[in-house]
Amino acid sequence: MTTRDNLDSGLSQRAIEGALRSRADSWQYNEEMEKAAALEENGAQLSSTLRMSLGYYRTGKKAAAAAGRNVSDAEGSEDSGTLSAAYRSPSNPAN
């Protein structure tokens, strides 16, 4: 699997880079998804909804790692230098 999986092959290079940047910027570490991934790796049967969510999570994580973000833990995965952080209001950091 690459970071380009699930992208329309007819997209321009610029559109692909934008989609990957968007995935990287929106990804956030999720302990529950990490636990689900470990369960799946150990052979546990996950619900179809959880498998789908885990697929999106993994795709975002892979894009974030390719963008140079630390994806190993919650503390290191903050998006302090990313595009989405630039749109946060100083008065409302959760915005």
Side-chain angles (χ1 to χ4, degrees):
M1 182 167 150
T2 69
T3 56
R4 293 176 183 242
D5 287 349
N6 303 315
L7 290 176
D8 183 356
S9 61
L11 292 175
S12 69
Q13 183 64 29
R14 182 176 173 183
I16 290 171
E17 289 171 1
L20 293 175
R21 185 175 56 248
S22 177
R23 287 180 183 181
D25 286 346
S26 64
W27 180 84
Q28 293 181 354
Y29 181 87
N30 184 310
E31 189 172 344
E32 290 181 17
M33 286 289 113
E34 295 293 332
K35 288 178 182 178
L39 287 172
E40 185 180 56
E41 289 173 10
N42 290 328
Q45 294 293 323
L46 304 178
S47 71
S48 58
T49 303
L50 185 53
R51 284 193 321 268
M52 184 176 68
S53 295
L54 187 56
Y56 283 113
Y57 179 78
R58 284 179 170 156
T59 299
K61 183 177 182 177
K62 195 170 279 197
R69 287 185 46 201
N70 177 0
V71 297
S72 62
D73 60 16
E75 187 174 318
S77 68
E78 291 298 317
D79 60 354
S80 59
T82 63
L83 186 61
S84 62
Y87 289 98
R88 289 199 181 127
S89 165
S91 62
N92 185 8
N95 185 3

